[in-house]
Structure formats: C-alpha cells, structure tokens
Amino acid sequence: MANNTGRPAVFVSRKVFPEVIARLSEHFDVEMNDTDSVLSPDQLAQRLQGKVGVLTTGSERVDAALLAANPQLRIVANIAVGFNNFDMAAINAAGVLATNTPDVLTETTADFGFALLMATARRVTESEHFLRAGQWNKWSLDMFAGAEVHGSTLGILGMGRIGQAIARRGAHGFGMKVIYHNRSKLAPELEAECKASYVDKATLLKTADHVMLVLPYSPEAHHTIGAAEIAQMKPTATLVNIARGGIVDDAALALALRNRVIAAAGLDVFEGEPKVHPDLLTVPNVVLTPHIASATMGTRMAMAMLAADNVIAFLTTGHAVTPLNAAAVAKA
Ligand code: GLV
C-alpha cells in the first residue's frame, strides 16, 4: 500500500540507529516510534495503519488481533534471532512474511555467554558488591573461591549456531569437555569441530559443571529447568541462561540458589522481563544482566540493518534475506 507520496510506508516500532532509517528511507516513507517506549498492542495496531512493513523487537507481540487490524501488512521483520513474540500460526494464516536476524549475532552472543559463565563461576559481581560495600579488610585463602572453568565439563542445552559457537570457545579455548543435548544430534563433522558429545538431558544435568541454556523458547520449552531439573545438577554446578525468559522457572531457581542446591547462576533473560523475580534480587549467588547478550554496537547495528534489508528485499524483489516462513507465504 502506497501513501500519498506514492511510496510504500513502513513503521519502525522502536528507536533504531539513524543509518537504518536512512537506508529504509531510500525506498519507503518511514514512520518510527522515536520515543523508544514499548507501544501497547492498541498503539502499535494504530501506528501500523497504512504500513506494509514493520521492524519489531522482542518487546512487540505480533498476533492475530494486530494482523486483523492491519490487513495491508506484508512483512514483520524482527530485530532479534528469537521470534517467540511472533504468533507464527497467525502470521502464516495472514500470508505475512516474518523474518529474524540469525548469524549476525552468533559470535557476539557466544562471547557474552562465556562472560556470564566466567562471572558466575568466578563470583565476579558478588565479590565486586562486597568490595564496593567497603567490606574488604583482608585477603583470605578461600575468599570468593569459585568453580574452575578450564578443564571442567560444559553442558549446553540447545545446540544451534550460538550453542556451537559456545562449544568451540569452551573446547578449544578453555580445554573443557563439552556435552550437549538438542532436539537433533549434530552431523558428525560438526560434532568433531565443536568437540562436543551428544547426551540425554538427564545425563547433561547430572554431569555438567556448568550448564548453559541456548535453546529457543516455545510453549514446549516452558520451564525446561525447574526445581526437579535443578535438583539433578551437581551442588557445585552453575547455570547460565542466555536463551529466553520462561525456559527457567525463576522462582524455583531463586529458592534453589538460596538453599545452595546449586552453587550459582548467571541470567541475562527473565520470565516477564523487564520485571525480575524479586527473590532473584536478594540472593547473592546470581549474576543478573538486562538481556544484553548481543549488545555490542557493531552487532546491534548489523541486526537492525539486516531487519531493514529484509523489508527492502521482500518489498522490492519478493525475496527476503532471512525469511522464517517463505513457504507459507508462497502458499497463501
Ligand atoms: C535476542 O534475545 C535475540 O533473540 O536476538
């Protein structure tokens, strides 16, 4: 649908870099939410009137109601690799193309997974809080003694691109024994390259010194890690979640951390974020970060540019760069 300038109109639902708006503006009339506040579903539906494409983030839900209010919409381009904010059944039924941003964030996110693992195992933030509180008055042999990272066993739950990049860091950089569990086993040459061995979930939980969660969220993955799974882990183990809120039962985890069922956790994502379960804020043995695993300027720019390129490519050639549902759209 073209507006009165004769060019198609697109909407950018959150503040993005000016370079991204400039690129989109070469092709479209661009309107954006430059307040950067998260729009309510009604506000988003309203702002999308007359727009054929939209750039979203994980904070905006695209569902049947939004699509019904905007039948002119042709593409929804998420600035994220995860797309659990998309109701794919509704998007497919509406014949709308959905895209995400794979690959451009893989290495940066894997770096952060390792940063969180290191900070958690070696008690970096806990000891910093102690120092900042003026409590450091002497050196002691066991002060903030944490868990070994090099040479330990890393268990990765979810072995997509990011899981594999974490495995490479662990195996090749830190001499870790890497075990993984995934819906499907990797091809043997990829397993060899990542130096990773496939195990069942129970074996992973009970064997790993560090458990890293990198699986996509789906209703089936809800509370993949709850009290029962935490109880299977070693009491010295750490748990790191860079996947999605809801994969871990945060209330159960907070209780387990308080009771030292496991040693520590590192969390970048939370159930109901940006709210954080209040019990997590009061346990000392958890490192908490505000969903920043892909947050370097270069990677965030690459993600936003890829989303823009998806909109441009689809609306000008009919083929997006990283489509999620091209087959469903072709059939519609
Ligand atoms: C971030 O969480 C993403 O899915 O890209």
Side-chain angles (χ1 to χ4, degrees):
M1 182 181 285
N3 68 9
N4 53 17
T5 64
R7 300 196 322 160
V10 301
F11 185 64
V12 179
S13 62
R14 300 291 298 280
K15 198 166 184 173
V16 295
F17 307 105
E19 293 88 334
V20 177
I21 299 297
R23 187 176 291 188
L24 285 168
S25 300
E26 288 168 19
H27 303 269
F28 313 115
D29 280 356
V30 182
E31 195 180 303
M32 70 171 177
N33 167 23
D34 48 14
T35 65
D36 202 32
S37 54
V38 180
L39 299 173
S40 70
D42 283 350
Q43 288 169 326
L44 183 60
Q46 187 55 42
R47 299 290 299 268
L48 283 184
Q49 295 297 304
K51 313 295 186 308
V52 288
V54 60
L55 265 64
T56 53
T57 71
S59 308
E60 290 80 37
R61 177 123 188 99
V62 177
D63 58 12
L66 186 81
L67 297 166
N70 286 281
Q72 80 292 341
L73 201 57
R74 295 186 53 211
I75 173 167
V76 290
N78 223 22
I79 310 176
V81 67
F83 52 93
N84 54 303
N85 56 313
F86 284 179
D87 177 340
M88 287 306 298
I91 292 174
N92 289 340
V96 168
L97 190 80
T99 64
N100 67 340
T101 59
D103 301 319
V104 291
L105 48 59
T106 299
E107 298 300 329
T108 299
T109 304
D111 284 350
F112 190 82
F114 242 86
L116 205 46
L117 167 57
M118 296 292 288
T120 304
R122 298 302 307 275
R123 306 175 67 179
V124 172
T125 55
E126 191 183 353
S127 61
E128 186 189 351
H129 290 149
F130 167 86
L131 181 152
R132 283 181 189 270
Q135 291 175 278
W136 186 28
N137 53 22
K138 64 175 189 316
W139 185 92
S140 330
L141 205 55
D142 63 350
M143 188 171 65
F144 291 106
E148 219 66 86
V149 174
H150 74 274
S152 64
T153 297
L154 173 61
I156 303 176
L157 212 45
M159 198 59 158
R161 289 166 284 234
I162 298 170
Q164 292 164 33
I166 289 168
R168 287 190 197 95
R169 280 161 178 73
H172 299 289
F174 287 79
M176 298 170 96
K177 177 177 175 200
V178 180
I179 53 178
Y180 75 97
H181 182 71
N182 197 40
R183 270 174 308 191
S184 51
K185 224 165 161 280
L186 295 184
E189 48 293 358
L190 207 46
E191 272 195 351
E193 194 214 312
C194 296
K195 286 195 175 176
S197 318
Y198 183 88
V199 293
D200 60 38
K201 183 177 162 194
T203 304
L204 184 141
L205 291 173
K206 78 169 184 262
T207 318
D209 296 306
H210 307 288
V211 173
M212 176 86 69
L213 306 176
V214 209
L215 61 161
Y217 183 85
S218 64
E220 302 76 56
H222 189 72
H223 289 186
T224 294
I225 301 291
E229 288 74 20
I230 297 168
Q232 294 175 56
M233 293 171 64
K234 294 181 181 179
T236 50
T238 65
L239 175 72
V240 175
N241 186 8
I242 58 165
R244 271 292 181 274
I247 286 180
V248 174
D249 177 342
D250 286 348
L253 176 62
L255 187 63
L257 288 169
R258 191 174 303 286
N259 294 336
R260 306 274 165 177
V261 179
I262 57 171
L267 307 174
D268 187 49
V269 287
F270 304 87
E271 284 189 280
E273 64 184 53
K275 289 205 181 88
V276 175
H277 194 290
D279 294 351
L280 285 171
L281 299 172
T282 58
V283 285
N285 46 343
V286 63
V287 180
L288 306 169
T289 53
H291 203 146
I292 57 169
S294 64
T296 63
M297 284 304 283
T299 292
R300 288 285 166 86
M301 174 68 88
M303 291 164 66
M305 279 297 189
L306 178 52
D309 286 345
N310 270 317
V311 174
I312 294 166
F314 182 63
L315 293 178
T316 60
T317 71
H319 300 285
V321 188
T322 51
L324 289 165
N325 61 340
V329 173
K331 248 195 258 152

